Amino acid sequence: MTQRILVINAGSSSIKYQLIHVAGGGADSGSADSGTADSGVTLASGLIERIGEPLGRVKHRAGETVLEWETVIPDHTEGFAQMARAFAESGTPLDELGVVAVGHRVVQGGSDFVEPTLIDDAVEARILELAELAPLHNPGHYRAIVAARQVFADVPHVAVFDTAFHQTMPPAAYTYAIDPALAARHGIRRYGFHGISHQVVSRRAAEVIGRPLGELNQIVLHLGNGASVCAVRGGVSVDTSMGLTPLEGLVMGTRSGDIDPGVLLHLLRAGMTEAELDDTLNKRSGVLGLFGSNDMRDLRAAVAAGEPAAELTFDVYAHRIRHYLGAYLAVLGGADTIVFTAGVGENHAPLREAVCSGLEWFGIEIDPALNAAVNADGPPAEPQVISSASSRVAILVVPTDEETEIARQTAQLVLG
Ligand code: ADP
């Protein structure tokens, strides 16, 4: 059985969408060893951007057809009208798409949402309330959900949360050591993000090495512009590096990751405003702050050219990853796999080697030739093993595919 799911990933000023043909969507998908029921084919995709700005932009791709135009897009409702126009102009109006459900990516589900959830008015309202914890993300999700439920009024809508996968973390991992009453009043705890990616990538890694997911201890390194590490035991998250917000943990493209909270106090006392602090730590730190560009390809070229600032940035970036790798080896009591994913993880062979080298004592042995071969022709299309035959820990590169995973989870919920 095959079904078409529309996946929406909306921000405050953009709507990304993919029409995905999901094969199966069988009841086995939630089990520890789901097979290939999750495979999906993207039939069309697009991006509506600069919503609310003087001139918006639409890009739509369906097979060989690529459509692009600019127009005023004041809000998300108009964004969906533009999406409808794009589908119609590429030959398939919305009512002929055969969409059976719409899956929405939602970054912050708080402690309320532990699994994909059918959206009704109450869920929609709660997603808006949770904007308190995710002011940059949930308002855009909310506006897209409201608009999409009007355009696709006859099909179920499902929210798939980035935080949900991490709701299995034990209290020792998610509790900050502050006054519990204060924490409860403000919803302060570690939530973790990138859960959709950590979930699909850990499941794929288990398939690749041919062992049951339920038996494995895995460390997943999602290294994109945003980056996080997840300790996965038996297919569930037991620790992750992002916290209350996506600012904690690894060094990222523009975010500092872990930093002594005393630095914030110090800067506030030095006269920095809350808005400046927010901007500095979220948008002007990390690789951008240290090096001047957040594009890891630029950093890579500068390291190759021997630029000292680039070398330091690379070392700080890799050191933080190794710091978490060591921590999660201890949290899990050893690992069966280490999995690299997302833009940097999938493409940056020298970084993977820097992260995994010198760890033979832990049973971690990367094979430099296999590692380099992954990117001989650019990004890998399929998962690949890059550890040596004698390595006790399997090291893998697994392309992430959050949209297909959202489609799979949506299909599973609405179709069973
Ligand atoms: P996002 O978090 O925006 O989804 P991605 O997962 O797409 O991010 O990853 C984007 C990052 O991947 C960028 O920093 C980009 O420079 C990096 N990247 C892509 N290709 C390469 C490459 N060949 N070598 C190093 N980094 C790369």
Side-chain angles (χ1 to χ4, degrees), residues 4 6 8 17 19 44 60 77-100 102 147-148 150-155:
R4 288 175 172 191
L6 183 67
I8 303 291
Y17 58 88
L19 181 66
H60 180 86
T77 302
E78 180 56 29
F80 276 92
Q82 293 296 326
M83 186 180 91
R85 179 182 153 194
F87 273 109
E89 288 191 7
S90 68
T92 325
L94 287 194
D95 54 2
E96 291 175 19
L97 284 185
V99 169
V100 296
V102 181
Q150 284 163 4
V151 175
F152 297 92
D154 299 330
V155 299

PDB file of all heavy atoms in Angstrom, residues 4 6 8 17 19 44 60 77-100 102 147-148 150-155:
ATOM      1  N   ARG A   4       0.299   9.191  -0.145  1.00  0.00           N
ATOM      2  CA  ARG A   4       0.986  10.473  -0.317  1.00  0.00           C
ATOM      3  C   ARG A   4       0.788  11.351   0.909  1.00  0.00           C
ATOM      4  O   ARG A   4      -0.351  11.608   1.315  1.00  0.00           O
ATOM      5  CB  ARG A   4       0.447  11.195  -1.541  1.00  0.00           C
ATOM      6  CG  ARG A   4       0.910  10.527  -2.806  1.00  0.00           C
ATOM      7  CD  ARG A   4       0.285  11.170  -4.000  1.00  0.00           C
ATOM      8  NE  ARG A   4       0.893  10.636  -5.196  1.00  0.00           N
ATOM      9  CZ  ARG A   4       0.725  11.138  -6.399  1.00  0.00           C
ATOM     10  NH1 ARG A   4      -0.062  12.189  -6.560  1.00  0.00           N
ATOM     11  NH2 ARG A   4       1.307  10.610  -7.443  1.00  0.00           N
ATOM     12  N   LEU A   6       1.925  15.049   2.684  1.00  0.00           N
ATOM     13  CA  LEU A   6       2.553  16.354   2.504  1.00  0.00           C
ATOM     14  C   LEU A   6       3.260  16.708   3.811  1.00  0.00           C
ATOM     15  O   LEU A   6       2.632  16.740   4.873  1.00  0.00           O
ATOM     16  CB  LEU A   6       1.496  17.415   2.178  1.00  0.00           C
ATOM     17  CG  LEU A   6       2.056  18.815   1.897  1.00  0.00           C
ATOM     18  CD1 LEU A   6       2.877  18.829   0.607  1.00  0.00           C
ATOM     19  CD2 LEU A   6       0.938  19.843   1.817  1.00  0.00           C
ATOM     20  N   ILE A   8       5.325  19.428   6.006  1.00  0.00           N
ATOM     21  CA  ILE A   8       5.520  20.876   6.121  1.00  0.00           C
ATOM     22  C   ILE A   8       6.561  21.156   7.205  1.00  0.00           C
ATOM     23  O   ILE A   8       6.442  20.672   8.334  1.00  0.00           O
ATOM     24  CB  ILE A   8       4.201  21.584   6.535  1.00  0.00           C
ATOM     25  CG1 ILE A   8       3.074  21.270   5.547  1.00  0.00           C
ATOM     26  CG2 ILE A   8       4.420  23.095   6.694  1.00  0.00           C
ATOM     27  CD1 ILE A   8       3.243  21.886   4.193  1.00  0.00           C
ATOM     28  N   TYR A  17       8.244  22.476   1.946  1.00  0.00           N
ATOM     29  CA  TYR A  17       7.288  21.372   1.847  1.00  0.00           C
ATOM     30  C   TYR A  17       7.816  20.279   0.937  1.00  0.00           C
ATOM     31  O   TYR A  17       8.640  20.535   0.059  1.00  0.00           O
ATOM     32  CB  TYR A  17       5.926  21.873   1.350  1.00  0.00           C
ATOM     33  CG  TYR A  17       5.957  22.565   0.009  1.00  0.00           C
ATOM     34  CD1 TYR A  17       5.826  21.847  -1.183  1.00  0.00           C
ATOM     35  CD2 TYR A  17       6.125  23.944  -0.074  1.00  0.00           C
ATOM     36  CE1 TYR A  17       5.858  22.489  -2.423  1.00  0.00           C
ATOM     37  CE2 TYR A  17       6.166  24.588  -1.300  1.00  0.00           C
ATOM     38  CZ  TYR A  17       6.036  23.852  -2.473  1.00  0.00           C
ATOM     39  OH  TYR A  17       6.083  24.491  -3.694  1.00  0.00           O
ATOM     40  N   LEU A  19       6.152  16.634  -0.960  1.00  0.00           N
ATOM     41  CA  LEU A  19       5.095  15.643  -1.168  1.00  0.00           C
ATOM     42  C   LEU A  19       5.788  14.295  -1.270  1.00  0.00           C
ATOM     43  O   LEU A  19       6.602  14.074  -2.173  1.00  0.00           O
ATOM     44  CB  LEU A  19       4.335  15.963  -2.458  1.00  0.00           C
ATOM     45  CG  LEU A  19       3.178  15.016  -2.772  1.00  0.00           C
ATOM     46  CD1 LEU A  19       2.066  15.136  -1.732  1.00  0.00           C
ATOM     47  CD2 LEU A  19       2.618  15.306  -4.174  1.00  0.00           C
ATOM     48  N   ALA A  44       7.466  15.920  -5.102  1.00  0.00           N
ATOM     49  CA  ALA A  44       7.585  17.359  -5.352  1.00  0.00           C
ATOM     50  C   ALA A  44       8.076  18.012  -4.074  1.00  0.00           C
ATOM     51  O   ALA A  44       7.876  17.486  -2.977  1.00  0.00           O
ATOM     52  CB  ALA A  44       6.238  17.946  -5.746  1.00  0.00           C
ATOM     53  N   HIS A  60       9.633  25.842  -6.595  1.00  0.00           N
ATOM     54  CA  HIS A  60       8.904  24.575  -6.585  1.00  0.00           C
ATOM     55  C   HIS A  60       9.550  23.619  -7.580  1.00  0.00           C
ATOM     56  O   HIS A  60       9.898  24.012  -8.684  1.00  0.00           O
ATOM     57  CB  HIS A  60       7.440  24.827  -6.998  1.00  0.00           C
ATOM     58  CG  HIS A  60       6.585  23.604  -7.018  1.00  0.00           C
ATOM     59  ND1 HIS A  60       5.930  23.120  -5.903  1.00  0.00           N
ATOM     60  CD2 HIS A  60       6.259  22.764  -8.031  1.00  0.00           C
ATOM     61  CE1 HIS A  60       5.231  22.041  -6.235  1.00  0.00           C
ATOM     62  NE2 HIS A  60       5.415  21.793  -7.516  1.00  0.00           N
ATOM     63  N   THR A  77      -0.813  32.194   5.366  1.00  0.00           N
ATOM     64  CA  THR A  77      -2.002  31.828   4.587  1.00  0.00           C
ATOM     65  C   THR A  77      -1.736  32.099   3.103  1.00  0.00           C
ATOM     66  O   THR A  77      -2.022  31.257   2.242  1.00  0.00           O
ATOM     67  CB  THR A  77      -3.224  32.643   5.083  1.00  0.00           C
ATOM     68  OG1 THR A  77      -3.385  32.354   6.473  1.00  0.00           O
ATOM     69  CG2 THR A  77      -4.478  32.281   4.328  1.00  0.00           C
ATOM     70  N   GLU A  78      -1.137  33.240   2.812  1.00  0.00           N
ATOM     71  CA  GLU A  78      -0.785  33.543   1.423  1.00  0.00           C
ATOM     72  C   GLU A  78       0.324  32.589   0.947  1.00  0.00           C
ATOM     73  O   GLU A  78       0.367  32.205  -0.220  1.00  0.00           O
ATOM     74  CB  GLU A  78      -0.341  35.005   1.294  1.00  0.00           C
ATOM     75  CG  GLU A  78       0.046  35.418  -0.120  1.00  0.00           C
ATOM     76  CD  GLU A  78      -1.045  35.189  -1.171  1.00  0.00           C
ATOM     77  OE1 GLU A  78      -2.242  35.238  -0.812  1.00  0.00           O
ATOM     78  OE2 GLU A  78      -0.692  34.948  -2.348  1.00  0.00           O
ATOM     79  N   GLY A  79       1.186  32.199   1.863  1.00  0.00           N
ATOM     80  CA  GLY A  79       2.232  31.231   1.522  1.00  0.00           C
ATOM     81  C   GLY A  79       1.620  29.937   0.990  1.00  0.00           C
ATOM     82  O   GLY A  79       2.075  29.385  -0.023  1.00  0.00           O
ATOM     83  N   PHE A  80       0.572  29.458   1.653  1.00  0.00           N
ATOM     84  CA  PHE A  80      -0.080  28.228   1.179  1.00  0.00           C
ATOM     85  C   PHE A  80      -0.820  28.460  -0.128  1.00  0.00           C
ATOM     86  O   PHE A  80      -0.905  27.552  -0.966  1.00  0.00           O
ATOM     87  CB  PHE A  80      -0.993  27.652   2.268  1.00  0.00           C
ATOM     88  CG  PHE A  80      -0.237  26.803   3.244  1.00  0.00           C
ATOM     89  CD1 PHE A  80       0.289  27.346   4.400  1.00  0.00           C
ATOM     90  CD2 PHE A  80      -0.001  25.462   2.987  1.00  0.00           C
ATOM     91  CE1 PHE A  80       1.027  26.585   5.289  1.00  0.00           C
ATOM     92  CE2 PHE A  80       0.734  24.676   3.858  1.00  0.00           C
ATOM     93  CZ  PHE A  80       1.251  25.241   5.020  1.00  0.00           C
ATOM     94  N   ALA A  81      -1.338  29.674  -0.331  1.00  0.00           N
ATOM     95  CA  ALA A  81      -1.986  29.987  -1.610  1.00  0.00           C
ATOM     96  C   ALA A  81      -0.952  29.926  -2.738  1.00  0.00           C
ATOM     97  O   ALA A  81      -1.223  29.424  -3.831  1.00  0.00           O
ATOM     98  CB  ALA A  81      -2.635  31.370  -1.538  1.00  0.00           C
ATOM     99  N   GLN A  82       0.261  30.394  -2.437  1.00  0.00           N
ATOM    100  CA  GLN A  82       1.333  30.331  -3.438  1.00  0.00           C
ATOM    101  C   GLN A  82       1.746  28.878  -3.702  1.00  0.00           C
ATOM    102  O   GLN A  82       2.060  28.499  -4.831  1.00  0.00           O
ATOM    103  CB  GLN A  82       2.548  31.147  -2.968  1.00  0.00           C
ATOM    104  CG  GLN A  82       2.294  32.640  -2.898  1.00  0.00           C
ATOM    105  CD  GLN A  82       1.996  33.246  -4.269  1.00  0.00           C
ATOM    106  OE1 GLN A  82       2.525  32.821  -5.299  1.00  0.00           O
ATOM    107  NE2 GLN A  82       1.115  34.245  -4.299  1.00  0.00           N
ATOM    108  N   MET A  83       1.739  28.077  -2.646  1.00  0.00           N
ATOM    109  CA  MET A  83       2.058  26.658  -2.826  1.00  0.00           C
ATOM    110  C   MET A  83       1.018  25.998  -3.736  1.00  0.00           C
ATOM    111  O   MET A  83       1.359  25.232  -4.651  1.00  0.00           O
ATOM    112  CB  MET A  83       2.074  25.955  -1.469  1.00  0.00           C
ATOM    113  CG  MET A  83       2.533  24.528  -1.544  1.00  0.00           C
ATOM    114  SD  MET A  83       2.530  23.785   0.096  1.00  0.00           S
ATOM    115  CE  MET A  83       0.912  23.129   0.106  1.00  0.00           C
ATOM    116  N   ALA A  84      -0.251  26.351  -3.526  1.00  0.00           N
ATOM    117  CA  ALA A  84      -1.332  25.806  -4.361  1.00  0.00           C
ATOM    118  C   ALA A  84      -1.109  26.217  -5.822  1.00  0.00           C
ATOM    119  O   ALA A  84      -1.254  25.397  -6.741  1.00  0.00           O
ATOM    120  CB  ALA A  84      -2.678  26.323  -3.862  1.00  0.00           C
ATOM    121  N   ARG A  85      -0.709  27.469  -6.015  1.00  0.00           N
ATOM    122  CA  ARG A  85      -0.448  27.950  -7.375  1.00  0.00           C
ATOM    123  C   ARG A  85       0.700  27.146  -8.007  1.00  0.00           C
ATOM    124  O   ARG A  85       0.637  26.757  -9.182  1.00  0.00           O
ATOM    125  CB  ARG A  85      -0.091  29.443  -7.303  1.00  0.00           C
ATOM    126  CG  ARG A  85       0.220  30.050  -8.641  1.00  0.00           C
ATOM    127  CD  ARG A  85       0.612  31.534  -8.495  1.00  0.00           C
ATOM    128  NE  ARG A  85       1.495  31.928  -9.587  1.00  0.00           N
ATOM    129  CZ  ARG A  85       2.221  33.037  -9.616  1.00  0.00           C
ATOM    130  NH1 ARG A  85       2.161  33.891  -8.594  1.00  0.00           N
ATOM    131  NH2 ARG A  85       3.000  33.312 -10.647  1.00  0.00           N
ATOM    132  N   ALA A  86       1.743  26.883  -7.210  1.00  0.00           N
ATOM    133  CA  ALA A  86       2.901  26.148  -7.727  1.00  0.00           C
ATOM    134  C   ALA A  86       2.500  24.738  -8.166  1.00  0.00           C
ATOM    135  O   ALA A  86       2.882  24.278  -9.247  1.00  0.00           O
ATOM    136  CB  ALA A  86       3.997  26.081  -6.656  1.00  0.00           C
ATOM    137  N   PHE A  87       1.712  24.067  -7.338  1.00  0.00           N
ATOM    138  CA  PHE A  87       1.275  22.713  -7.719  1.00  0.00           C
ATOM    139  C   PHE A  87       0.417  22.771  -8.978  1.00  0.00           C
ATOM    140  O   PHE A  87       0.568  21.955  -9.890  1.00  0.00           O
ATOM    141  CB  PHE A  87       0.511  22.045  -6.572  1.00  0.00           C
ATOM    142  CG  PHE A  87       1.414  21.330  -5.598  1.00  0.00           C
ATOM    143  CD1 PHE A  87       1.622  21.814  -4.311  1.00  0.00           C
ATOM    144  CD2 PHE A  87       2.063  20.152  -5.965  1.00  0.00           C
ATOM    145  CE1 PHE A  87       2.460  21.156  -3.417  1.00  0.00           C
ATOM    146  CE2 PHE A  87       2.895  19.484  -5.079  1.00  0.00           C
ATOM    147  CZ  PHE A  87       3.098  19.984  -3.799  1.00  0.00           C
ATOM    148  N   ALA A  88      -0.496  23.758  -9.034  1.00  0.00           N
ATOM    149  CA  ALA A  88      -1.387  23.868 -10.203  1.00  0.00           C
ATOM    150  C   ALA A  88      -0.558  24.132 -11.460  1.00  0.00           C
ATOM    151  O   ALA A  88      -0.761  23.482 -12.501  1.00  0.00           O
ATOM    152  CB  ALA A  88      -2.402  24.990  -9.970  1.00  0.00           C
ATOM    153  N   GLU A  89       0.410  25.029 -11.362  1.00  0.00           N
ATOM    154  CA  GLU A  89       1.197  25.379 -12.555  1.00  0.00           C
ATOM    155  C   GLU A  89       2.124  24.252 -12.995  1.00  0.00           C
ATOM    156  O   GLU A  89       2.528  24.193 -14.148  1.00  0.00           O
ATOM    157  CB  GLU A  89       2.005  26.666 -12.304  1.00  0.00           C
ATOM    158  CG  GLU A  89       1.085  27.878 -12.278  1.00  0.00           C
ATOM    159  CD  GLU A  89       1.832  29.205 -12.307  1.00  0.00           C
ATOM    160  OE1 GLU A  89       3.065  29.206 -12.485  1.00  0.00           O
ATOM    161  OE2 GLU A  89       1.166  30.233 -12.140  1.00  0.00           O
ATOM    162  N   SER A  90       2.466  23.371 -12.047  1.00  0.00           N
ATOM    163  CA  SER A  90       3.307  22.238 -12.453  1.00  0.00           C
ATOM    164  C   SER A  90       2.452  21.058 -12.919  1.00  0.00           C
ATOM    165  O   SER A  90       2.964  19.976 -13.183  1.00  0.00           O
ATOM    166  CB  SER A  90       4.250  21.818 -11.322  1.00  0.00           C
ATOM    167  OG  SER A  90       3.518  21.265 -10.259  1.00  0.00           O
ATOM    168  N   GLY A  91       1.135  21.287 -13.008  1.00  0.00           N
ATOM    169  CA  GLY A  91       0.267  20.291 -13.643  1.00  0.00           C
ATOM    170  C   GLY A  91      -0.594  19.471 -12.716  1.00  0.00           C
ATOM    171  O   GLY A  91      -1.373  18.633 -13.158  1.00  0.00           O
ATOM    172  N   THR A  92      -0.448  19.658 -11.385  1.00  0.00           N
ATOM    173  CA  THR A  92      -1.265  18.879 -10.448  1.00  0.00           C
ATOM    174  C   THR A  92      -1.872  19.796  -9.396  1.00  0.00           C
ATOM    175  O   THR A  92      -1.225  20.115  -8.404  1.00  0.00           O
ATOM    176  CB  THR A  92      -0.416  17.812  -9.705  1.00  0.00           C
ATOM    177  OG1 THR A  92       0.568  17.312 -10.580  1.00  0.00           O
ATOM    178  CG2 THR A  92      -1.282  16.683  -9.183  1.00  0.00           C
ATOM    179  N   PRO A  93      -3.108  20.262  -9.621  1.00  0.00           N
ATOM    180  CA  PRO A  93      -3.735  21.102  -8.599  1.00  0.00           C
ATOM    181  C   PRO A  93      -3.879  20.352  -7.273  1.00  0.00           C
ATOM    182  O   PRO A  93      -3.888  19.108  -7.250  1.00  0.00           O
ATOM    183  CB  PRO A  93      -5.114  21.422  -9.183  1.00  0.00           C
ATOM    184  CG  PRO A  93      -5.166  20.818 -10.525  1.00  0.00           C
ATOM    185  CD  PRO A  93      -3.961  19.984 -10.767  1.00  0.00           C
ATOM    186  N   LEU A  94      -3.983  21.105  -6.185  1.00  0.00           N
ATOM    187  CA  LEU A  94      -4.018  20.483  -4.850  1.00  0.00           C
ATOM    188  C   LEU A  94      -5.053  19.370  -4.725  1.00  0.00           C
ATOM    189  O   LEU A  94      -4.782  18.331  -4.131  1.00  0.00           O
ATOM    190  CB  LEU A  94      -4.322  21.543  -3.778  1.00  0.00           C
ATOM    191  CG  LEU A  94      -3.227  22.554  -3.420  1.00  0.00           C
ATOM    192  CD1 LEU A  94      -3.590  23.268  -2.132  1.00  0.00           C
ATOM    193  CD2 LEU A  94      -1.863  21.897  -3.300  1.00  0.00           C
ATOM    194  N   ASP A  95      -6.226  19.598  -5.295  1.00  0.00           N
ATOM    195  CA  ASP A  95      -7.286  18.588  -5.096  1.00  0.00           C
ATOM    196  C   ASP A  95      -7.044  17.312  -5.908  1.00  0.00           C
ATOM    197  O   ASP A  95      -7.772  16.335  -5.781  1.00  0.00           O
ATOM    198  CB  ASP A  95      -8.674  19.177  -5.383  1.00  0.00           C
ATOM    199  CG  ASP A  95      -8.758  19.807  -6.762  1.00  0.00           C
ATOM    200  OD1 ASP A  95      -7.748  19.751  -7.491  1.00  0.00           O
ATOM    201  OD2 ASP A  95      -9.834  20.335  -7.108  1.00  0.00           O
ATOM    202  N   GLU A  96      -6.012  17.330  -6.734  1.00  0.00           N
ATOM    203  CA  GLU A  96      -5.676  16.089  -7.468  1.00  0.00           C
ATOM    204  C   GLU A  96      -4.390  15.449  -6.942  1.00  0.00           C
ATOM    205  O   GLU A  96      -3.902  14.475  -7.500  1.00  0.00           O
ATOM    206  CB  GLU A  96      -5.505  16.396  -8.961  1.00  0.00           C
ATOM    207  CG  GLU A  96      -6.822  16.777  -9.633  1.00  0.00           C
ATOM    208  CD  GLU A  96      -6.619  17.201 -11.088  1.00  0.00           C
ATOM    209  OE1 GLU A  96      -5.558  16.864 -11.661  1.00  0.00           O
ATOM    210  OE2 GLU A  96      -7.519  17.870 -11.624  1.00  0.00           O
ATOM    211  N   LEU A  97      -3.846  16.008  -5.857  1.00  0.00           N
ATOM    212  CA  LEU A  97      -2.567  15.496  -5.344  1.00  0.00           C
ATOM    213  C   LEU A  97      -2.695  14.145  -4.664  1.00  0.00           C
ATOM    214  O   LEU A  97      -1.740  13.391  -4.580  1.00  0.00           O
ATOM    215  CB  LEU A  97      -1.965  16.479  -4.317  1.00  0.00           C
ATOM    216  CG  LEU A  97      -1.300  17.742  -4.833  1.00  0.00           C
ATOM    217  CD1 LEU A  97      -0.661  18.493  -3.679  1.00  0.00           C
ATOM    218  CD2 LEU A  97      -0.263  17.404  -5.882  1.00  0.00           C
ATOM    219  N   GLY A  98      -3.883  13.859  -4.157  1.00  0.00           N
ATOM    220  CA  GLY A  98      -4.073  12.597  -3.447  1.00  0.00           C
ATOM    221  C   GLY A  98      -3.425  12.583  -2.071  1.00  0.00           C
ATOM    222  O   GLY A  98      -3.010  11.527  -1.574  1.00  0.00           O
ATOM    223  N   VAL A  99      -3.336  13.751  -1.443  1.00  0.00           N
ATOM    224  CA  VAL A  99      -2.736  13.816  -0.110  1.00  0.00           C
ATOM    225  C   VAL A  99      -3.677  13.190   0.915  1.00  0.00           C
ATOM    226  O   VAL A  99      -4.851  13.567   0.992  1.00  0.00           O
ATOM    227  CB  VAL A  99      -2.457  15.290   0.271  1.00  0.00           C
ATOM    228  CG1 VAL A  99      -2.100  15.425   1.740  1.00  0.00           C
ATOM    229  CG2 VAL A  99      -1.344  15.857  -0.590  1.00  0.00           C
ATOM    230  N   VAL A 100      -3.178  12.217   1.685  1.00  0.00           N
ATOM    231  CA  VAL A 100      -4.040  11.569   2.679  1.00  0.00           C
ATOM    232  C   VAL A 100      -3.817  12.137   4.084  1.00  0.00           C
ATOM    233  O   VAL A 100      -4.631  11.916   4.974  1.00  0.00           O
ATOM    234  CB  VAL A 100      -3.853  10.035   2.713  1.00  0.00           C
ATOM    235  CG1 VAL A 100      -4.275   9.422   1.380  1.00  0.00           C
ATOM    236  CG2 VAL A 100      -2.414   9.660   3.043  1.00  0.00           C
ATOM    237  N   VAL A 102      -1.307  15.452   6.339  1.00  0.00           N
ATOM    238  CA  VAL A 102      -0.245  16.458   6.348  1.00  0.00           C
ATOM    239  C   VAL A 102       0.559  16.288   7.636  1.00  0.00           C
ATOM    240  O   VAL A 102      -0.023  16.225   8.728  1.00  0.00           O
ATOM    241  CB  VAL A 102      -0.828  17.895   6.278  1.00  0.00           C
ATOM    242  CG1 VAL A 102       0.307  18.931   6.255  1.00  0.00           C
ATOM    243  CG2 VAL A 102      -1.718  18.057   5.050  1.00  0.00           C
ATOM    244  N   ALA A 147      -2.943  27.773   8.837  1.00  0.00           N
ATOM    245  CA  ALA A 147      -3.189  27.973   7.403  1.00  0.00           C
ATOM    246  C   ALA A 147      -3.382  26.642   6.688  1.00  0.00           C
ATOM    247  O   ALA A 147      -4.305  26.489   5.868  1.00  0.00           O
ATOM    248  CB  ALA A 147      -2.025  28.747   6.781  1.00  0.00           C
ATOM    249  N   ALA A 148      -2.549  25.661   7.021  1.00  0.00           N
ATOM    250  CA  ALA A 148      -2.622  24.364   6.330  1.00  0.00           C
ATOM    251  C   ALA A 148      -3.926  23.640   6.647  1.00  0.00           C
ATOM    252  O   ALA A 148      -4.487  22.940   5.789  1.00  0.00           O
ATOM    253  CB  ALA A 148      -1.429  23.497   6.730  1.00  0.00           C
ATOM    254  N   GLN A 150      -6.709  24.981   7.030  1.00  0.00           N
ATOM    255  CA  GLN A 150      -7.772  25.565   6.206  1.00  0.00           C
ATOM    256  C   GLN A 150      -7.668  25.066   4.761  1.00  0.00           C
ATOM    257  O   GLN A 150      -8.661  24.679   4.153  1.00  0.00           O
ATOM    258  CB  GLN A 150      -7.679  27.099   6.230  1.00  0.00           C
ATOM    259  CG  GLN A 150      -8.197  27.672   7.538  1.00  0.00           C
ATOM    260  CD  GLN A 150      -7.750  29.113   7.765  1.00  0.00           C
ATOM    261  OE1 GLN A 150      -7.105  29.725   6.922  1.00  0.00           O
ATOM    262  NE2 GLN A 150      -8.104  29.649   8.924  1.00  0.00           N
ATOM    263  N   VAL A 151      -6.449  25.019   4.258  1.00  0.00           N
ATOM    264  CA  VAL A 151      -6.262  24.605   2.855  1.00  0.00           C
ATOM    265  C   VAL A 151      -6.550  23.106   2.690  1.00  0.00           C
ATOM    266  O   VAL A 151      -7.212  22.698   1.733  1.00  0.00           O
ATOM    267  CB  VAL A 151      -4.824  24.925   2.392  1.00  0.00           C
ATOM    268  CG1 VAL A 151      -4.574  24.406   0.985  1.00  0.00           C
ATOM    269  CG2 VAL A 151      -4.581  26.428   2.448  1.00  0.00           C
ATOM    270  N   PHE A 152      -6.047  22.301   3.609  1.00  0.00           N
ATOM    271  CA  PHE A 152      -6.276  20.846   3.557  1.00  0.00           C
ATOM    272  C   PHE A 152      -7.233  20.478   4.692  1.00  0.00           C
ATOM    273  O   PHE A 152      -6.855  19.839   5.678  1.00  0.00           O
ATOM    274  CB  PHE A 152      -4.953  20.087   3.699  1.00  0.00           C
ATOM    275  CG  PHE A 152      -3.987  20.355   2.591  1.00  0.00           C
ATOM    276  CD1 PHE A 152      -3.039  21.357   2.697  1.00  0.00           C
ATOM    277  CD2 PHE A 152      -4.038  19.621   1.411  1.00  0.00           C
ATOM    278  CE1 PHE A 152      -2.151  21.617   1.665  1.00  0.00           C
ATOM    279  CE2 PHE A 152      -3.156  19.874   0.377  1.00  0.00           C
ATOM    280  CZ  PHE A 152      -2.218  20.877   0.496  1.00  0.00           C
ATOM    281  N   ALA A 153      -8.492  20.918   4.518  1.00  0.00           N
ATOM    282  CA  ALA A 153      -9.456  20.797   5.616  1.00  0.00           C
ATOM    283  C   ALA A 153      -9.977  19.369   5.788  1.00  0.00           C
ATOM    284  O   ALA A 153     -10.462  19.012   6.862  1.00  0.00           O
ATOM    285  CB  ALA A 153     -10.623  21.760   5.368  1.00  0.00           C
ATOM    286  N   ASP A 154      -9.845  18.546   4.767  1.00  0.00           N
ATOM    287  CA  ASP A 154     -10.489  17.223   4.821  1.00  0.00           C
ATOM    288  C   ASP A 154      -9.556  16.088   5.211  1.00  0.00           C
ATOM    289  O   ASP A 154      -9.973  14.929   5.233  1.00  0.00           O
ATOM    290  CB  ASP A 154     -11.093  16.900   3.444  1.00  0.00           C
ATOM    291  CG  ASP A 154     -12.152  17.918   3.060  1.00  0.00           C
ATOM    292  OD1 ASP A 154     -12.792  18.465   3.981  1.00  0.00           O
ATOM    293  OD2 ASP A 154     -12.294  18.180   1.852  1.00  0.00           O
ATOM    294  N   VAL A 155      -8.282  16.399   5.471  1.00  0.00           N
ATOM    295  CA  VAL A 155      -7.358  15.309   5.831  1.00  0.00           C
ATOM    296  C   VAL A 155      -6.791  15.554   7.227  1.00  0.00           C
ATOM    297  O   VAL A 155      -6.728  16.702   7.684  1.00  0.00           O
ATOM    298  CB  VAL A 155      -6.192  15.178   4.810  1.00  0.00           C
ATOM    299  CG1 VAL A 155      -6.713  14.863   3.425  1.00  0.00           C
ATOM    300  CG2 VAL A 155      -5.324  16.420   4.804  1.00  0.00           C
TER     301      VAL A 155
END
